[in-house]
Amino acid sequence: MKSRTFSPYVPRPATLVSKSALSELVTLYEFTLDNGKNLAHKPGQFIMVSLYGVGEAPFSISSAPIKESNVFEIAVRKIGVVTKALSELPVGAKVGIRGPFGTSFPVHEFVGKDTLLVAGGLGYIPIRSLLHYQLRHRAEFGRISVLIGARSPRDRIFIDQIEALARGGDVEVLETVDVPDENWKGNVGVITTLLPKASVEPQNTHVAMIGPPVMYKFVLRQCREMGIASDRIWVSLERRMKCGLGKCGHCQINSLNACMDGPVFRYTDIASLEEAI
């Protein structure tokens, strides 16, 4: 009997197996596909989640690909109709899943090299998939440095995991906030203030960055000034995603559709496109 091929247009049923608050507005959700299959995603890809009777929205996958597990994670900020409805779902509720869609970070190119991960705002959500993939295959990669920027201490997410990672000593973790409170003892300023503090060997480093669009131009410029070649810098335009299939036109960049040609791009492939960054 031939295995069934699923249409990318038809959501597959999935079950919410757990949920936990990461901040005042951000929640971590764990799902499993009802068919028992592994999601089979790659770091940097995204999925479309549909809530029956409410709507559908794209979300980056936050968990690493794990062949032995059919659980996958997304972390979502409550900001609209779909995300509000998602926040109200009880464990055991059903949703629809399309995907995974899009390109991914080319982990095969990172093997044997150092990696600089730059995550601004909610950018840590999708870059966490790449980081955790590298941690599961730690011997294949060189030094890993993670730069994380948040607007304020109350906007930090995955706090316990990040602090445990920093204490472990195997990964360099640097954090900053734009607006500190009275208890914050760390760096204050935009994320570019962390770059001079990172242990980077420019000729041996690949960069993966995800964050608000305004962050990219400044981080890109500083990386190039540090001597990191533009063709070893990777950016994700995951915030442009809409339908996942290049049909709606919302993510179009000149001749490219970010949801199909991206969301992960080598910087040199989009550097000449003014609308991209």
Side-chain angles (χ1 to χ4, degrees):
M1 181 177 179
K2 293 183 179 180
S3 60
R4 181 179 177 184
T5 301
F6 290 93
S7 167
Y9 296 95
V10 180
R12 290 176 285 170
T15 300
L16 175 62
V17 295
S18 75
K19 57 189 294 190
S20 55
L22 297 178
S23 70
E24 183 178 348
L25 294 177
V26 180
T27 301
L28 179 68
Y29 302 89
E30 289 189 335
F31 293 96
T32 58
L33 293 173
D34 287 0
N35 61 11
K37 301 285 187 179
N38 188 289
L39 185 63
H41 66 285
K42 298 177 181 179
Q45 290 189 304
F46 67 100
I47 55 175
M48 304 296 299
V49 179
S50 57
L51 276 64
Y52 307 118
V54 179
E56 183 183 56
F59 299 106
S60 295
I61 304 162
S62 190
S63 52
I66 302 175
K67 292 182 178 180
E68 303 79 22
S69 173
N70 64 347
V71 177
F72 57 94
E73 299 173 341
I74 60 173
V76 179
R77 181 172 60 182
K78 184 171 63 173
I79 56 172
V81 174
V82 174
T83 55
K84 181 178 184 297
L86 183 62
S87 71
E88 295 170 352
L89 286 182
V91 171
K94 302 293 183 181
V95 300
I97 300 293
R98 291 197 296 116
F101 293 124
T103 56
S104 59
F105 289 103
V107 292
H108 61 282
E109 292 196 29
F110 297 176
V111 171
K113 305 294 184 180
D114 296 346
T115 313
L116 175 63
L117 308 180
V118 184
L122 296 181
Y124 186 76
I125 293 172
I127 220 165
R128 177 174 175 264
S129 179
L130 171 60
L131 172 61
H132 281 216
Y133 175 89
Q134 291 187 298
L135 293 176
R136 289 183 61 83
H137 304 270
R138 188 66 186 90
E140 297 180 11
F141 304 97
R143 180 188 293 112
I144 299 174
S145 299
V146 187
L147 278 52
I148 304 169
R151 186 178 183 278
S152 70
R154 67 184 297 180
D155 295 310
R156 297 168 69 216
I157 55 178
F158 295 104
I159 295 174
D160 292 343
Q161 291 183 19
I162 291 171
E163 291 181 348
L165 192 64
R167 288 195 302 270
D170 185 46
V171 175
E172 180 181 41
V173 179
L174 300 174
E175 289 190 81
T176 189
V177 299
D178 296 337
V179 183
D181 59 22
E182 63 276 9
N183 297 315
W184 179 251
K185 307 300 182 184
N187 193 81
V188 176
V190 295
I191 200 166
T192 50
T193 61
L194 295 178
L195 281 165
K197 303 178 181 181
S199 303
V200 175
E201 295 181 10
Q203 304 307 316
N204 194 49
T205 298
H206 282 270
V207 179
M209 68 175 74
I210 307 179
V214 69
M215 177 191 91
Y216 286 171
K217 63 173 64 177
F218 298 104
V219 175
L220 285 164
R221 181 173 62 194
Q222 195 159 342
C223 284
R224 293 195 298 272
E225 290 174 353
M226 292 167 62
I228 300 173
S230 294
D231 63 355
R232 285 186 281 112
I233 300 175
W234 302 83
V235 301
S236 174
L237 305 183
E238 49 95 27
R239 293 187 178 217
R240 291 177 175 262
M241 301 303 99
K242 188 68 175 180
C243 73
L245 291 169
K247 303 297 182 182
C248 70
H250 282 79
C251 71
Q252 189 169 2
I253 309 170
N254 290 11
S255 62
L256 300 178
N257 284 309
C259 63
M260 300 183 71
D261 301 302
V264 177
F265 290 95
R266 191 191 299 267
Y267 175 59
T268 49
D269 291 337
I270 59 172
S272 62
L273 304 179
E274 292 185 5
E275 296 180 11
I277 301 294

